[in-house]
Amino acid sequence: MTRVEAEGLIAHDVLAVVLRMTPSSPEVLLWQRAREPHDGRWALPGGRLGATEDVEASVRRHLAEKVDLGEVAHVEQLSVFSDPHRGPAPRRVATAFLGLVPSDADPAVPGDTAWHPVDALPETAFDHGTITTAGLDRLRAKLSYTNIGFALAPEIFSISELRGLYAAALGHRVSATNLQRVLTRRGVLVPTGSTAAPGPSGGRPAALFRFSERSLRVTDPFATLRPPDRDC
Amino acid sequence: MTRVEAEGLIAHDVLAVVLRMTPSSPEVLLWQRAREPHDGRWALPGGRLGATEDVEASVRRHLAEKVDLGEVAHVEQLSVFSDPHRGPAPRRVATAFLGLVPSDADPAVPGDTAWHPVDALPETAFDHGTITTAGLDRLRAKLSYTNIGFALAPEIFSISELRGLYAAALGHRVSATNLQRVLTRRGVLVPTGSTAAPGPSGGRPAALFRFSERSLRVTDPFATLRPPDRDC
DNA sequence: GAGGTTTTCGCCTGTTGGTCGAAAACAGGG
DNA sequence: CCCTGTTTTCGACCAACAGGCGAAAACCTC
């Protein structure tokens, strides 16, 4: 046992599951390792926690090396991964984050970095496959009771586009009727008044919407067992 | 800068917000520090992450020093607290957990340890007040869409007792009618068939219930925007 | 203008949660 | 033994909400 291990000092990493929706499937941002351990495998972006930053600042700093931070619309903490055998020695503890990139953004990425559909991941390094799944699960859950869709969608979009994004994230079909009604009733979606140009094969032009807020908010009906009389 | 700081090695602690419901208010388990820093202030139970354990195993180990682990019905990870200035140097990162103790348990605790109502906390050490609030917020949210009440209630209980626990945790009155209907419909509550003895002033004897499962489960209606046809 | 395509909107239905009041089941006192 | 007070339970009603369907609207090309 080395001196630092005896003192209980541990290397702390931050990692980000950065997701983007495509018409067919969610994609996660991975980079290919070029050295041992796990040479050649694909890993989540991240790196060491610095001495003067908290974990969120750290993950943003490391993310900036792989993707334009302006394109990342939302970042939130996921969970700590600390199994002593999650990687080869020496031991490393990682705080994982979820990052979301709107579907219309196509940020430039370094040569070792690429988007991979989550249902056909390459061989991943360490426990990064598990962490990716945890990120997607979190997104799916929050789509139901928050306005987190703002981080997947362009500024302006039609209900059809939004339905495609929700369907890709959730993995099942979504009713456009219901989606519009639920999100507008909750006040997360507001009409812009303008309409999009119809497609090449015609069709009624789609009304365009935007999210009322572009930061995370939990919507009301989340809380069953409410206080009486709507107050407290 | 010392050698270990240059290497990015950081002390990692685990902390637990252990909550218990009383008729008047939630209580959190705190112990009084007997040395600097923050000598005399009250702190959450916890300690260093060991070399051969993950964070959950670690928090259970440290918790066992303060309270009988058999009385802790549920433990889950909350969040990482990593502000470089959350305490005096040297820097420490902490993974916080939420622990729940049923209301009928009254575990023996060491002399430096005591339960404190969360609405009248003593002067707390470091950021432990903030962490306590985060724990209570998590509990309140999960009461709505999971069966987490199992960790607050005795094995067998009446609806009135359960209503008291929910009211204490949520901070507002709860309808007994609605609570019973919602929880039984979701299948988290099942009647035992037996009834309790009436109180000293009479009254109809209360039917007794128990939770169908004593491990965390997310209940269905949580997911709005369901897949079509109830399948998929 | 006719036919095809896409989106939008109104209507209906089943489920859920909130509220209220009546009824049930007990104790104690006259 | 009946009446009152107390506590719990249950049924009924209502409002809000999500899911589904089909008609209508608004565009295209031919």
Side-chain angles (χ1 to χ4, degrees):
Chain A
M1 184 174 280
T2 69
R3 179 177 143 264
V4 289
E5 278 172 346
E7 284 176 355
L9 296 176
I10 299 170
H12 196 115
D13 294 329
V14 293
L15 293 171
V17 181
V18 181
L19 297 177
R20 180 180 70 163
M21 297 302 127
T22 75
S24 50
S25 136
E27 291 181 341
V28 60
L29 192 67
L30 298 174
W31 63 281
Q32 192 167 28
R33 292 180 60 86
R35 59 175 183 179
E36 294 297 339
H38 286 189
D39 185 14
R41 294 202 193 179
W42 293 82
L44 296 170
R48 285 233 174 154
L49 174 62
T52 61
E53 59 188 2
D54 65 16
V55 283
E56 179 159 343
S58 181
V59 79
R60 288 182 187 276
R61 175 173 63 85
H62 287 291
L63 223 38
E65 298 173 5
K66 301 291 182 187
V67 64
D68 177 9
L69 261 192
E71 308 282 26
V72 182
H74 177 67
V75 172
E76 71 176 49
Q77 199 183 119
L78 273 179
S79 172
V80 172
F81 292 83
S82 61
D83 185 330
H85 306 106
R86 61 180 286 271
R91 193 237 186 117
R92 312 190 68 85
V93 168
T95 301
F97 284 77
L98 171 64
L100 299 176
V101 172
S103 63
D104 62 332
D106 192 9
V109 297
D112 61 354
T113 308
W115 296 96
H116 292 268
V118 294
D119 49 13
L121 286 185
E123 200 173 19
T124 53
F126 314 115
D127 53 358
H128 291 195
T130 303
I131 298 176
T132 299
T133 302
L136 187 57
D137 287 347
R138 171 74 64 91
L139 171 63
R140 284 177 174 159
K142 287 211 166 182
L143 281 175
S144 270
Y145 66 93
T146 72
N147 64 343
I148 202 169
F150 79 86
L152 301 178
E155 282 275 349
I156 306 291
F157 50 85
S158 69
I159 295 295
S160 293
E161 290 177 71
L162 190 65
R163 175 179 59 158
L165 298 175
Y166 272 68
L170 293 171
H172 61 72
R173 283 173 294 118
V174 172
S175 153
T177 298
N178 207 35
L179 186 67
Q180 175 183 2
R181 182 179 32 202
V182 168
L183 294 185
T184 52
R185 180 160 46 203
R186 291 178 181 172
V188 316
L189 230 56
V190 291
T192 64
S194 57
T195 59
S201 59
R204 176 170 173 168
L208 294 177
F209 291 79
R210 59 179 178 83
F211 279 87
S212 60
E213 288 178 271
R214 297 193 71 81
S215 61
L216 190 67
R217 207 192 69 210
V218 176
T219 55
D220 252 353
F222 166 69
T224 181
L225 298 176
R226 295 183 191 83
D229 299 332
R230 214 55 167 158
D231 63 11
C232 191
Chain B
M1 185 174 277
T2 69
R3 179 177 142 264
V4 289
E5 279 172 345
E7 287 176 353
L9 297 175
I10 299 170
H12 196 116
D13 294 329
V14 293
L15 293 171
V17 181
V18 181
L19 296 178
R20 181 179 71 164
M21 297 302 127
T22 74
S24 51
S25 136
E27 291 181 341
V28 61
L29 193 68
L30 299 174
W31 63 281
Q32 192 165 27
R33 292 181 60 86
R35 61 175 181 179
E36 294 297 338
H38 286 189
D39 186 13
R41 294 201 191 179
W42 292 83
L44 295 170
R48 285 232 173 155
L49 173 63
T52 61
E53 59 188 2
D54 65 16
V55 284
E56 178 158 344
S58 181
V59 79
R60 288 182 187 275
R61 175 174 63 84
H62 288 291
L63 223 40
E65 297 173 6
K66 299 291 181 187
V67 63
D68 178 8
L69 262 192
E71 308 282 26
V72 182
H74 178 67
V75 172
E76 71 176 48
Q77 199 183 119
L78 274 179
S79 174
V80 172
F81 291 82
S82 60
D83 186 329
H85 306 106
R86 61 181 286 271
R91 190 235 187 120
R92 313 189 68 85
V93 169
T95 301
F97 284 78
L98 172 65
L100 299 176
V101 172
S103 62
D104 62 333
D106 192 9
V109 296
D112 62 354
T113 308
W115 295 95
H116 292 267
V118 294
D119 49 14
L121 286 185
E123 200 173 19
T124 54
F126 313 114
D127 53 358
H128 291 194
T130 303
I131 299 176
T132 300
T133 301
L136 186 57
D137 287 346
R138 172 74 66 92
L139 171 62
R140 285 177 174 159
K142 287 211 166 182
L143 282 174
S144 272
Y145 65 92
T146 72
N147 65 342
I148 202 170
F150 79 85
L152 301 178
E155 283 274 350
I156 306 292
F157 50 86
S158 69
I159 296 295
S160 294
E161 290 177 71
L162 190 65
R163 175 178 59 158
L165 298 175
Y166 272 67
L170 294 171
H172 60 73
R173 282 173 296 119
V174 172
S175 152
T177 298
N178 205 34
L179 186 67
Q180 175 182 359
R181 183 183 31 199
V182 168
L183 294 185
T184 53
R185 182 158 47 200
R186 292 179 181 171
V188 313
L189 231 56
V190 291
T192 64
S194 57
T195 59
S201 58
R204 177 170 172 169
L208 294 177
F209 291 79
R210 61 180 178 80
F211 278 88
S212 61
E213 288 178 88
R214 296 194 71 82
S215 61
L216 190 66
R217 207 193 67 211
V218 176
T219 56
D220 252 352
F222 165 69
T224 182
L225 298 175
R226 296 183 189 82
D229 299 330
R230 212 57 167 159
D231 64 11
C232 191

